[in-house]
């Protein structure tokens, strides 16, 4: 998704970020570093697309996990 993002296809990057997060979330606990990183990447892409409330919700979940671990 990073390459797609860098090429300017933010919607494509978001779709891929969502797939990655969903795959990790199905197989790993919420506090697993890969899940946290995928959620943060999705937050960055969501923010870049102008969805500030959506990005904030994702970042708040990331922060909540990081505060617990």
């Amino acid at each position: 998704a990073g390459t797609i993002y860098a090429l300017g296809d933010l919607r494509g990057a978001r779709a891929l970020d969502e797939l990655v997060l969903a795959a990790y979330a199905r197989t790993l606990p919420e506090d697993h570093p890969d899940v946290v990183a995928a959620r943060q990447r999705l937050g960055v892409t969501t923010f870049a697309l102008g969805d500030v409330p959506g990005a904030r919700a994702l970042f708040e979940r990331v922060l909540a996990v990081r505060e617990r671990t």
Side-chain angles (χ1 to χ4, degrees):
T3 301
I4 295 170
Y5 182 100
L7 290 170
D9 181 3
L10 299 180
R11 291 176 202 261
R14 181 178 182 168
L16 188 53
D17 284 339
E18 289 171 342
L19 289 173
V20 170
L21 177 57
Y24 283 149
R26 278 193 306 274
T27 58
L28 300 169
E30 183 176 88
D31 62 348
H32 190 280
D34 290 341
V35 175
V36 175
R39 183 167 284 119
Q40 182 161 341
R41 281 191 303 274
L42 178 57
V44 169
T45 304
T46 300
F47 181 81
L49 283 165
D51 180 2
V52 175
R56 180 179 178 163
L58 290 161
F59 291 141
E60 285 176 347
R61 288 186 68 184
V62 169
L63 180 61
V65 170
R66 289 190 173 162
E67 287 178 336
R68 287 194 313 264
T69 57

